[in-house]
């Protein structure tokens, strides 16, 4: 099977901006159970729960995404009804965590391509069932930098695998399915323009390598096994750096390939935890790591705030000061399950 390119994300969209489900079987099913999200197309009113979503933000850990949900709530001035708090909508899946703050969904994706791939299948179907239009997906992550110091924010221009191929490979029915891993270049540029000269850290763009492993797959010398020398590692790191790779992580390939196939605009923003030309271990103290992890969130928050204010949707004049909707159906005020009484 050759690489199957479904075109650019813009070419891919239906004229009304709905998310493209490239699966004829779904429409024929009585119900669709989004098993790992603990949601279903019949058991839940997905349109009223999620129809107003515009931004889907994914990141590795439940804690990071909960923190992001609370911080974006402050940033966009979204108020919860008195006596309510944010709840993990997918808590009964015991797999992923999902929080909803007005038009923003924050979901944890776990580690690696299989975990983020399963989640993306279900989140893309969720967008379809909820009739969300033109959603924008972000991955807010951590990574190892190459030739850049810890704490640097990297916006991915493209994603490649450990062999520098911009393609997600998946064995399907005994054949190798290949899908191009493409990110939205304009979105990456817009994000870059939101980095401020006042930020006490650098924000760069570049090529991201996505691997199937944290240790040997990323050429570390500190795994349980290692069959190469430090010189071999440095040779590889230098070669990939010359090929434009500035950071290494473990989800961007699947994230880019599946969003592109669905016609969804997507960007990957990660903070580096170390410079892999200098060391392999995560040595920074916890408080430093926590602050570093907030940096991609800050950039994505700026994008969301700017988008909403440009669309006139940052408005506090709705009931209880909640985000209120000026026009389209997808921005109507809804009582979210994430805001139920706890
Ligand atoms: O910080 P997150 O989003 O989990 O991403 C990175 O961290 C994990 C490895 O520690 C991998 O999942 C890698 O991609
Ligand atoms: O080096 C790193 C750091 C975070 N995540 C990765 O995948 N690699």
């Amino acid at each position: 099977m050759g690489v199957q390119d479904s075109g650019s994300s813009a070419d891919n969209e239906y004229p009304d901006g709905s998310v493209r489900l490239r699966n004829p079987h779904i429409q024929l099913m009585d119900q669709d159970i989004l098993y790992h999200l603990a949601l279903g197309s019949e058991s839940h009113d997905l349109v009223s729960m999620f129809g107003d979503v515009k931004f889907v933000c994914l990141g590795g850990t439940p804690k990071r995404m909960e923190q992001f949900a609370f911080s974006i709530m402050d940033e966009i001035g979204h108020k919860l009804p008195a006596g309510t708090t944010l709840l993990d909508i997918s808590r009964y899946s015991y797999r992923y965590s999902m929080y909803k703050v007005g038009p923003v969904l924050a979901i944890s994706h776990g580690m690696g391509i299989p975990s983020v791939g399963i989640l993306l299948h279900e989140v893309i179907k969720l967008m379809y069932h909820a009739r969300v239009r033109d959603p924008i997906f972000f991955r807010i992550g951590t990574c190892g930098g190459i030739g850049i110091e810890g704490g640097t924010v990297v916006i991915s221009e493209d994603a490649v695998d450990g062999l520098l191929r911009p393609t997600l490979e998946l064995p399907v029915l005994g054949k190798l399915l290949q899908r191009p891993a493409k990110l939205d270049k304009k979105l990456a540029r817009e994000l870059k323009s939101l980095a401020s000269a006042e930020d006490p850290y650098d924000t760069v763009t570049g090529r991201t390598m996505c691997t199937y492993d944290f240790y040997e797959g990323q050429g570390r010398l500190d795994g349980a096994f290692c069959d190469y020398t430090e010189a071999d590692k440095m040779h590889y790191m230098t070669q990939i750096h010359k090929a434009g790779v500035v950071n290494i992580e473990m989800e961007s390939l699947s994230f880019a390939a599946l969003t592109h196939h669905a016609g969804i605009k997507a960007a990957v923003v990660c903070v580096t935890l170390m410079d892999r030309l200098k060391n392999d271990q995560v040595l920074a103290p916890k408080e430093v790591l926590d602050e570093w992890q907030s940096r991609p969130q800050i950039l994505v928050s700026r994008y969301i705030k700017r988008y909403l204010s440009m669309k006139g949707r940052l408005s506090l004049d709705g009931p209880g000061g909640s985000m209120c909707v000026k026009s389209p159906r997808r921005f109507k005020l809804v009582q979210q399950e994430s805001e139920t009484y706890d």
Side-chain angles (χ1 to χ4, degrees):
M1 237 180 254
V3 181
Q4 299 180 338
D5 194 350
S6 46
S8 74
S9 50
D11 294 342
N12 238 356
E13 283 160 9
Y14 289 130
D16 69 353
S18 339
V19 169
R20 176 177 290 244
L21 258 204
R22 296 170 162 264
N23 179 359
H25 302 284
I26 300 290
Q27 273 166 335
L28 305 176
M29 289 165 29
D30 292 339
Q31 61 169 330
D32 184 13
I33 295 172
L34 307 175
Y35 168 61
H36 303 89
L37 296 178
L39 292 168
S41 63
E42 286 304 300
S43 53
H44 296 79
D45 183 348
L46 297 178
V47 176
S48 73
M49 284 175 74
F50 298 100
D52 63 338
V53 167
K54 179 70 195 172
F55 307 100
V56 178
C57 303
L58 307 183
T61 68
K63 193 74 207 161
R64 186 187 312 152
M65 300 326 286
E66 184 189 27
Q67 279 167 350
F68 178 69
F70 277 102
S71 90
I72 197 75
M73 187 154 64
D74 271 356
E75 292 290 333
I76 65 176
H78 183 80
K79 299 273 190 302
L80 299 178
T84 70
T85 188
L86 284 181
L87 274 190
D88 174 359
I89 298 170
S90 295
R91 60 198 176 281
Y92 295 122
S93 75
Y94 304 104
R95 293 283 184 186
Y96 305 107
S97 288
M98 179 196 290
Y99 298 91
K100 183 172 183 302
V101 177
V104 183
L105 264 191
I107 317 174
S108 66
H109 60 54
M111 280 196 286
I113 287 175
S115 185
V116 78
I118 294 164
L119 178 70
L120 281 168
H121 272 272
E122 295 186 11
V123 175
I124 291 167
K125 290 197 296 174
L126 176 61
M127 298 294 100
Y128 166 80
H129 290 303
R131 299 194 208 130
V132 171
R133 295 183 191 174
D134 298 319
I136 302 174
F137 280 37
F138 297 102
R139 168 168 140 67
I140 301 168
T142 64
C143 61
I146 304 189
I148 44 184
E149 65 179 88
T152 304
V153 173
V154 179
I155 303 163
S156 305
E157 283 172 344
D158 49 14
V160 293
D161 70 4
L163 301 174
L164 290 170
R165 298 174 305 176
T167 311
L168 176 73
E169 287 189 338
L170 186 72
V172 175
L173 302 182
K175 293 181 186 149
L176 204 53
L177 174 70
Q178 297 181 308
R179 291 205 173 118
K182 292 192 180 169
L183 292 164
D184 193 286
K185 297 246 189 268
K186 180 161 172 262
L187 182 58
R189 281 197 301 276
E190 285 169 352
L191 284 164
K192 177 75 167 72
S193 74
L194 294 171
S196 160
E198 319 268 282
D199 291 336
Y201 47 86
D202 288 334
T203 298
V204 302
T205 55
R207 174 165 292 169
T208 297
M209 175 173 277
C210 177
T211 64
Y212 290 91
D213 172 48
F214 183 82
Y215 288 101
E216 292 168 283
Q218 297 186 6
R220 282 190 151 77
L221 300 171
D222 61 344
F225 317 104
C226 186
D227 304 330
Y228 40 82
T229 64
E230 183 168 7
D232 296 335
K233 169 200 157 179
M234 292 312 290
H235 177 71
Y236 178 70
M237 290 293 154
T238 312
Q239 290 304 112
I240 63 173
H241 195 209
K242 276 190 197 144
V245 175
V246 293
N247 66 335
I248 313 182
E249 47 77 271
M250 297 175 57
E251 291 83 19
S252 57
L253 204 64
S254 171
F255 183 80
L258 298 192
T259 50
H260 177 67
H261 200 56
I264 293 172
K265 263 197 214 179
V268 177
V269 187
C270 292
V271 68
T272 60
L273 301 187
M274 76 292 284
D275 180 356
R276 293 296 318 287
L277 298 181
K278 296 189 182 140
N279 67 295
D280 291 340
Q281 297 229 309
V282 182
L283 300 172
K286 190 182 171 317
E287 313 76 65
V288 173
L289 290 174
D290 284 347
E291 193 274 313
W292 285 357
Q293 284 194 40
S294 70
R295 294 176 178 182
Q297 301 179 32
I298 291 169
L299 194 66
V300 168
S301 297
R302 285 179 193 157
Y303 181 92
I304 292 174
K305 271 175 81 172
R306 195 193 58 158
Y307 183 99
L308 293 176
S309 60
M310 275 166 47
K311 300 281 174 192
R313 285 167 182 149
L314 258 189
S315 161
L316 300 178
D317 56 358
S322 295
M323 170 116 20
C324 121
V325 187
K326 298 239 155 132
S327 51
R329 170 194 56 77
R330 63 184 188 278
F331 274 91
K332 74 174 185 256
L333 185 72
V334 288
Q335 175 70 33
Q336 288 115 24
E337 188 181 322
S338 52
E339 296 175 5
T340 50
Y341 292 89
D342 202 9

